[in-house]
Amino acid sequence: MDRPRVIINVAQSLNGMIAGPGGRRVAISSAHDRERVLEIRSKVDAVIVGANTVVNDNPRLNLQDNASNHNSGPMRVVLDGSLKIPDNSHILDGTSRTVVFTWNLHRELKGADLIRMSKDHLTVDEILGRLWSMGIRNVLVEGGKQVIHEFIDAGAVDEFHIFVGNILIEGGGMILFDPPEDISGVARDIRIMQGGLLISLDPHSLMIAWKKKAKAI
Ligand SMILES: NC(=O)c1ccc[n+]([C@@H]2O[C@H](COP(=O)([O-])OP(=O)(O)OC[C@H]3O[C@@H](n4cnc5c(N)ncnc54)[C@H](OP(=O)(O)O)[C@@H]3O)[C@@H](O)[C@H]2O)c1
């Protein structure tokens, strides 16, 4: 089945955390890394995040990550089964189209187009199929952990970039890959950047490591 090309991008600390304790947002990316991400955003048709990322981080997901930018960026897509993102979320600001995939039939959301599907149809395959039918040919998945894991589970990864920022997040936090999900050996390219390292994973090796993990659990 046709689906858009999928790029996953995430930033983690030296100790593997993508968020602080309780999902608190932590600035991990350097200025150069943010520019790199904005460059990818400017080239894709849609950016995808999970509901918790919107609730915790309140991102704009536009082309400058600030309020003054009114250039329409890519379509913003939120996976939000229960429809819990707040009405005043930045992604509902109308600067570019926002689409929310949900099973909730009872709430409306000003500033977004809701795509309602039954719970068992809200799979990565069906979501990507729906986006494809809307003319979306490439997407950037920006988190969080649950959504990234769903895309790997579905085998829907064409590029995977991890920026490892030169910081430690202490006091607990959210680890992207827990030790049982060992992905050692799947890096295809490692580049030194201002403020950290950019690791690009080989999607094929990642899938093999991921399936091995699933069998071992
Ligand atoms: N460092 C980074 O690069 C980076 C980037 C982004 C986010 N983050 C961090 O990641 C944290 C959030 O990660 P997370 O794992 O808690 O949550 P998440 O992946 O952002 O969102 C998970 C939520 O999305 C909804 N969802 C997921 N898959 C869905 C599907 N197929 N259909 C419909 N809804 C779906 C679910 O809502 P329902 O339960 O309501 O169904 C679920 O609760 C944040 O604290 C943020 O700071 C870090």
Side-chain angles (χ1 to χ4, degrees), residues 15 27 82 132 153 211:
N15 53 340
S82 58
W132 178 269
D153 285 339
K211 280 183 189 148

Side-chain angles (χ1 to χ4, degrees), residues 9-13 17-20 22-26 28-29 49-57 59 78-84 101-103 119 121-124 127 141-151 163 169 174:
N9 188 82
V10 68
Q12 70 168 53
S13 64
M17 305 284 178
I18 63 164
R24 182 175 49 84
R25 183 177 182 278
V26 180
I28 299 170
S29 287
V49 292
N52 291 351
T53 295
V54 175
V55 171
N56 293 350
D57 299 0
V78 186
L79 308 188
D80 186 3
S82 58
L83 211 48
K84 62 186 170 190
F101 281 86
T102 182
W103 46 257
K119 263 186 195 176
H121 283 279
L122 277 168
T123 61
V124 166
I127 290 164
V141 177
E142 293 204 40
K145 176 175 179 170
Q146 183 185 330
V147 165
I148 290 174
H149 282 210
E150 275 178 53
F151 275 77
F163 177 77
I169 297 178
M174 183 181 282

Side-chain angles (χ1 to χ4, degrees), residues 3-9 128 132 137-141 151-152 155-161 188 200-204 206-207:
R3 67 158 174 84
R5 179 174 174 76
V6 175
I7 303 170
I8 298 182
N9 188 82
L128 287 176
W132 178 269
R137 294 294 176 262
N138 39 56
V139 299
L140 172 63
V141 177
F151 275 77
I152 306 173
V157 184
D158 298 297
E159 282 180 45
F160 196 133
H161 307 290
R188 180 167 57 189
S200 299
L201 305 185
D202 174 52
H204 182 66
L206 173 65
M207 294 311 159

Side-chain angles (χ1 to χ4, degrees), residues 152-156 180-183 203-217:
I152 306 173
D153 285 339
E181 299 157 352
D182 187 7
I183 55 148
H204 182 66
S205 310
L206 173 65
M207 294 311 159
I208 293 172
W210 203 254
K211 280 183 189 148
K212 261 195 212 153
K213 168 217 80 175
K215 272 193 195 143
I217 289 174

